[in-house]
Amino acid sequence: MTDRPISRYPVPNVTDLPEDLRTRILAVQEKIGFIPNVFLTLAHRPAEARAFFDYHDALMEKDGGITKAEREMIVVATSAANDCLYCVVAHGAILRIRAKNPLVADQVAVNHRKADITPRQAAMLEFALKVSQTSGTLGDADFDVLRAHGFSDEDAWDIGAIAAFFALSNRMANLTSMRPNNEFFAMGRQGR
Amino acid sequence: MTDRPISRYPVPNVTDLPEDLRTRILAVQEKIGFIPNVFLTLAHRPAEARAFFDYHDALMEKDGGITKAEREMIVVATSAANDCLYCVVAHGAILRIRAKNPLVADQVAVNHRKADITPRQAAMLEFALKVSQTSGTLGDADFDVLRAHGFSDEDAWDIGAIAAFFALSNRMANLTSMRPNNEFFAMGRQGR
Amino acid sequence: MTDRPISRYPVPNVTDLPEDLRTRILAVQEKIGFIPNVFLTLAHRPAEARAFFDYHDALMEKDGGITKAEREMIVVATSAANDCLYCVVAHGAILRIRAKNPLVADQVAVNHRKADITPRQAAMLEFALKVSQTSGTLGDADFDVLRAHGFSDEDAWDIGAIAAFFALSNRMANLTSMRPNNEFFAMGRQGR
Amino acid sequence: MTDRPISRYPVPNVTDLPEDLRTRILAVQEKIGFIPNVFLTLAHRPAEARAFFDYHDALMEKDGGITKAEREMIVVATSAANDCLYCVVAHGAILRIRAKNPLVADQVAVNHRKADITPRQAAMLEFALKVSQTSGTLGDADFDVLRAHGFSDEDAWDIGAIAAFFALSNRMANLTSMRPNNEFFAMGRQGR
Amino acid sequence: MTDRPISRYPVPNVTDLPEDLRTRILAVQEKIGFIPNVFLTLAHRPAEARAFFDYHDALMEKDGGITKAEREMIVVATSAANDCLYCVVAHGAILRIRAKNPLVADQVAVNHRKADITPRQAAMLEFALKVSQTSGTLGDADFDVLRAHGFSDEDAWDIGAIAAFFALSNRMANLTSMRPNNEFFAMGRQGR
Amino acid sequence: MTDRPISRYPVPNVTDLPEDLRTRILAVQEKIGFIPNVFLTLAHRPAEARAFFDYHDALMEKDGGITKAEREMIVVATSAANDCLYCVVAHGAILRIRAKNPLVADQVAVNHRKADITPRQAAMLEFALKVSQTSGTLGDADFDVLRAHGFSDEDAWDIGAIAAFFALSNRMANLTSMRPNNEFFAMGRQGR
């Protein structure tokens, strides 16, 4: 069996992209050594791609009550619930690196209830999964649970917005059959 | 029973917003006579709001094989599947106006199988709902059905991306308990 | 796209109907100015139609701890859960008129958790939706919640019986592809 | 463990009932030797009970393309899908008697796909279960399948209306915790 | 309609089976007068059959905090949730006999919430059904509920392991279309 | 966060186990360098453990139309559908090794529709997932699909029986909170 293609849609050459997207992509390549396929797949539609990456960075690169590793946990748990191969594998790699933990990504992807995480992180993931799967049933009681674990309402927005953004991202990856780069599967699995 | 607030989160004064958001919002107010609550709710986080509205406009204001009225149909059908009051009511109003049809929004929101739409539009909504609800099961056969109704693969991206974007939007509206402006409920119901 | 027919089945002429049904239908026409399509659709089977309207009136026209507007709320919420276009649109109109509220029908149809209703009404709708969707799981605890909101056990019967009757009604409307009269869509949307 | 009561609600004395209900109930008792609990439970509300039994008889006692035994099969299969103890047990007994078959009721209740029934009966039950469980998704294709098995559109109404009526009946039984008479469990199990 | 066969797969002659299986099967026949079809169906694969019956006996024939009748209750309730005709009918018969109760098997199969069982037995079945249907969501709180009803953690293993074993058994019966022997349907229905 | 324990239940010392289990376990340890936690967890109940490992070996160690790597694919796909951390991680490692492919286990666990597998393997996994998740709906058409891909009916038994056995295994792992050994997470990820 040969490998599937990067995307169901045409993938642009980086050199043909508008300058802002090209610069953004080359910066990532410079940093990690390869271009994640999400950039190549979504760049098929530059205007949408710009908004996508701006939104992503506004949610994932900020500081606050939720650590960057915890933000990746939310991505992995909700993406697994949406059967999104790209996001589970790519963000699983980032989670292993940011958490300096080679086990937690697979644990959270398969069943966060059995993961080596704190009760506070478990509550965070329960809230994120409710936003992801049955957001219409959210109510005051869900925010109360977060507060009881020390999360502010701004933290709740962060958790919910990350789950919401990856609801979009997972669907784009499934629509385009976006392939995770082979590099991601083994990243961050050493140590411990 | 008094009316619920616009948002569970603080709502900024338009005059306090960064200039680009203020300009964008005042242009909408100029055009339709009031400020849709989605602008006030999401402007609580300017960086996220900018990306949100850029993404929205890239998908909803463009031309192509899917008319603007049909784009709104996708929004209404998928938002109803996600129990999103704001999006069903606000985009229901826009759909009635764009389609010059006072009935179709309620029809599509409750059960598109009983709506006065064409078989091509029904196929479009089936694809959109699959992206919205079970995107992990999408496959070649789903694209084949669209092609048999005359949709190109770029049209399929449009349909899927709108369903994906409102998967995000619905979750933000449910997270924030975003209230639809009272004006939307009756808009576009005259005529015929 | 032309409008769909009233019913998948033959629709009788009112003048050809048995006298009791004809009298009942003409009285409604006299009162509201048109004949709701549910009468024409179900009159295809007079014996079933008689029992249907007798049952309906026994539940919906009585007084008691649940107001007539609240009875219509139950109909709208449970019919939306069953994807029944006829009942959501027709009873949405009646709800707007009985509640003198142009917003509440759409709110309850899309997501009652975001509606401008009282906590007592929200508890009533939760019970009704449980009867409608998962009646096999009903237990003493559900009745206790109603009692805590001041409902008697006879009120509980009313709530449950309305949800049960429209479980029947929704299925007949979906079976026959019963079309809501165009008049219903805009009724009761003025004011406020 | 003592037996549960007949109903969660008060059960009237037959002698205290309005004459028409009393006569109807005594006729049943005369015929089968005991009073099925559905009569005693629903007679708590005479107006509703009258409509209920009129509706029941209009659907279940008529002749047509569906035999009386097949009508009971529809009741048993859909009532099992709704976890309704009363209807599965009471109509299971009637099915065994009408079909002169001591096995078919349990087969249809647990999994009609493994029952000793004809392909035509299996198609009838598939249609009935779709009306019962997901009526909003019914479409022309479902009627086409019935026609391919020799059912007329009037037969389709019968099948669908029985499924719809027992959607109501199952919910009333679950609401009231209606207890099946002990007699029903063993009726019709002899022979073969 | 003729009866369906015992299995979708070839059924061996008992005389052709390896001696240990033949002995085991003849002992059952000696005891109850006929050979339950599960033996004939699974003996198509002797190595798997041996492990199956060893596992079954380790769980069902032991003593402990759960009576043998209660063990059968778990089988009937979880097998009904899995639409397994063979297990509901065969173990329903065993349950009636072990509990000396002609009603409880049908009650538990259709809706254990309406059955004549104790609150302790109801808690046991809730735990078993959670293991059977959504085992990934099990947590400490579920064990706490069992403890509050006087079950030890070893009892919890028994309950869960029986539900788990019949998750296997139900799937083998559905895979092979295993037919319950006609004898089982009426067994244990006398008395009371 | 410290690591969770191996099991919610007491874990025996290997030296205290009955000789046959001790021998079996030490042979595995000899071969792979550590004792998989499933042995230690299930050995808490020796009689059940014996039957479990006999059953496992009868299904997983045999030859036939399904390769050993494909058998592990079935385990990984169905265990992911059941949210079973132990089985996804442990059998994911075995799958990587047997398939000599560091990517396929994660692909199959998250979404087999996006995996680098053949159409024949995809059909095998669809059948396995149907046995695993909705076995009551299996019918002749499902076997026909397998045959069209070249599988014999004995292969169908293998596929179904593996899915059925891991339905049991997944539930035992979730019941006991069985922890995958840390070694499994990184095994077989080199190469390619």
Side-chain angles (χ1 to χ4, degrees), chain F residues 5-51:
Chain F
I6 290 175
S7 166
R8 172 187 292 279
Y9 284 88
V11 169
N13 284 320
V14 176
T15 50
D16 298 339
L17 288 174
E19 187 177 346
D20 64 323
L21 281 176
R22 191 172 66 238
T23 303
R24 193 194 289 251
I25 290 174
L26 293 178
V28 174
Q29 186 179 28
E30 175 85 14
K31 185 174 168 195
I32 68 168
F34 62 95
I35 302 174
N37 289 337
V38 65
F39 288 97
L40 299 177
T41 300
L42 295 187
H44 176 58
R45 295 271 186 108
E48 298 168 35
R50 253 175 228 118

Side-chain angles (χ1 to χ4, degrees), chain F:
Chain F
M1 185 76 190
T2 55
D3 285 358
R4 288 164 167 268
I6 290 175
S7 166
R8 172 187 292 279
Y9 284 88
V11 169
N13 284 320
V14 176
T15 50
D16 298 339
L17 288 174
E19 187 177 346
D20 64 323
L21 281 176
R22 191 172 66 238
T23 303
R24 193 194 289 251
I25 290 174
L26 293 178
V28 174
Q29 186 179 28
E30 175 85 14
K31 185 174 168 195
I32 68 168
F34 62 95
I35 302 174
N37 289 337
V38 65
F39 288 97
L40 299 177
T41 300
L42 295 187
H44 176 58
R45 295 271 186 108
E48 298 168 35
R50 253 175 228 118
F52 182 93
F53 293 112
D54 285 352
Y55 214 141
H56 175 278
D57 293 354
L59 292 168
M60 301 301 286
E61 303 299 334
K62 71 186 291 234
D63 291 319
I66 322 285
T67 69
K68 286 186 182 172
E70 286 168 344
R71 288 169 201 264
E72 298 296 332
M73 266 187 213
I74 296 169
V75 179
V76 172
T78 60
S79 298
N82 288 330
D83 301 333
C84 179
L85 182 61
Y86 185 88
C87 298
V88 170
V89 170
H91 288 271
I94 305 173
L95 170 54
R96 285 189 295 270
I97 290 167
R98 293 202 163 167
K100 300 187 202 318
N101 179 331
L103 309 184
V104 70
D106 292 341
Q107 291 172 344
V108 163
V110 181
N111 191 338
H112 72 278
R113 291 178 199 82
K114 310 297 189 189
D116 298 322
I117 58 176
T118 64
R120 185 177 182 274
Q121 290 168 335
M124 174 188 81
L125 294 182
E126 289 290 339
F127 187 88
L129 284 162
K130 192 163 187 180
V131 174
S132 174
Q133 301 301 307
T134 56
S135 72
T137 67
L138 282 168
D140 293 345
D142 299 300
F143 287 79
D144 290 343
V145 172
L146 284 189
R147 280 182 212 117
H149 283 278
F151 291 105
S152 71
D153 283 2
E154 292 301 317
D155 293 335
W157 179 302
D158 280 357
I159 299 169
I162 293 169
F165 178 77
F166 280 88
L168 154 64
S169 180
N170 296 164
R171 282 157 180 79
M172 289 309 298
N174 279 328
L175 177 75
T176 58
S177 285
M178 195 188 292
R179 177 186 181 82
N181 305 58
N182 292 358
E183 289 88 341
F184 283 128
F185 290 78
M187 276 173 65
R189 294 193 178 275
Q190 306 73 24
R192 186 150 168 161

Side-chain angles (χ1 to χ4, degrees), chain E residues 32 34 92-94 96-97 182-190:
Chain E
I32 69 169
F34 62 95
I94 305 174
R96 285 190 294 270
I97 290 167
N182 292 358
E183 289 88 341
F184 282 128
F185 290 79
M187 276 173 65
R189 294 192 177 275
Q190 306 72 24

Side-chain angles (χ1 to χ4, degrees), chain E residues 101-120:
Chain E
N101 179 331
L103 308 183
V104 70
D106 291 342
Q107 291 172 344
V108 163
V110 182
N111 191 339
H112 72 277
R113 291 177 199 82
K114 309 296 188 190
D116 298 322
I117 58 176
T118 64
R120 184 177 182 273

Side-chain angles (χ1 to χ4, degrees), chain B residues 2-122:
Chain B
T2 56
D3 285 357
R4 287 164 168 268
I6 290 174
S7 167
R8 172 187 292 278
Y9 284 88
V11 169
N13 283 321
V14 177
T15 49
D16 298 338
L17 288 174
E19 187 177 345
D20 64 321
L21 281 176
R22 191 171 67 239
T23 302
R24 193 195 290 249
I25 290 174
L26 294 176
V28 174
Q29 187 180 28
E30 175 85 14
K31 184 173 168 195
I32 69 168
F34 62 95
I35 302 174
N37 289 338
V38 65
F39 288 97
L40 299 176
T41 300
L42 295 187
H44 176 59
R45 295 271 185 108
E48 298 168 36
R50 253 175 227 118
F52 182 93
F53 293 111
D54 286 351
Y55 213 141
H56 175 278
D57 293 354
L59 291 169
M60 301 301 287
E61 303 298 335
K62 70 184 293 232
D63 292 318
I66 321 285
T67 68
K68 286 186 181 174
E70 286 168 343
R71 288 169 201 264
E72 298 296 333
M73 266 186 212
I74 296 168
V75 179
V76 171
T78 60
S79 298
N82 288 329
D83 300 334
C84 178
L85 181 62
Y86 185 88
C87 298
V88 171
V89 170
H91 288 271
I94 305 175
L95 169 53
R96 286 189 295 270
I97 289 169
R98 292 203 163 166
K100 301 188 201 319
N101 179 331
L103 308 184
V104 71
D106 292 343
Q107 291 172 344
V108 164
V110 181
N111 191 339
H112 72 278
R113 291 177 199 82
K114 308 297 189 188
D116 298 322
I117 59 175
T118 64
R120 186 178 181 272
Q121 289 168 335

Side-chain angles (χ1 to χ4, degrees), chain A residues 1 3-4 113 117 192, chain F residues 1 3-4 113 192:
Chain A
M1 185 74 191
D3 286 357
R4 288 164 168 268
R113 291 177 198 80
I117 58 176
R192 184 149 170 164
Chain F
M1 185 76 190
D3 285 358
R4 288 164 167 268
R113 291 178 199 82
R192 186 150 168 161

